[in-house]
Amino acid sequence: MLIIPIKDGENIDRALKRYKRKFDKTGVVRQLRSRQQFTKPSVVRRAQIQKAAYVQGLKDSLEN
């Protein structure tokens, strides 16, 4: 359970924004979506390798 302390006179919108940010960092929604269907470990590894290659390509293009 997330607890967001609210200071006296603090705007409710600001507190709600802090709550949303903290909730996103926990990764609950991402975990629920990943558990909806089984993904084979080989597919997960392949996706990780593809993502790493993509990120490396972006970094290389920025350096040049």
Side-chain angles (χ1 to χ4, degrees), residues 14-34:
R14 180 173 262 190
L16 187 61
K17 189 172 186 177
R18 281 192 359 239
Y19 170 77
K20 287 181 181 180
R21 199 176 320 129
K22 199 177 240 188
F23 182 77
D24 284 341
K25 284 186 178 182
T26 60
V28 174
V29 175
R30 245 180 284 125
Q31 187 179 25
L32 285 174
R33 287 183 181 156
S34 69

Side-chain angles (χ1 to χ4, degrees), residues 3-60:
I3 298 174
I4 307 296
I6 300 175
K7 301 169 187 151
D8 291 335
E10 184 179 15
N11 191 354
I12 190 71
D13 292 330
R14 180 173 262 190
L16 187 61
K17 189 172 186 177
R18 281 192 359 239
Y19 170 77
K20 287 181 181 180
R21 199 176 320 129
K22 199 177 240 188
F23 182 77
D24 284 341
K25 284 186 178 182
T26 60
V28 174
V29 175
R30 245 180 284 125
Q31 187 179 25
L32 285 174
R33 287 183 181 156
S34 69
R35 287 184 179 192
Q36 284 182 348
Q37 62 184 13
F38 178 74
T39 307
K40 295 192 321 183
S42 61
V43 174
V44 172
R45 276 194 305 273
R46 190 179 324 131
Q48 287 175 344
I49 291 170
Q50 287 175 340
K51 183 178 178 182
Y54 175 75
V55 169
Q56 188 64 42
L58 288 177
K59 288 181 181 178
D60 289 344

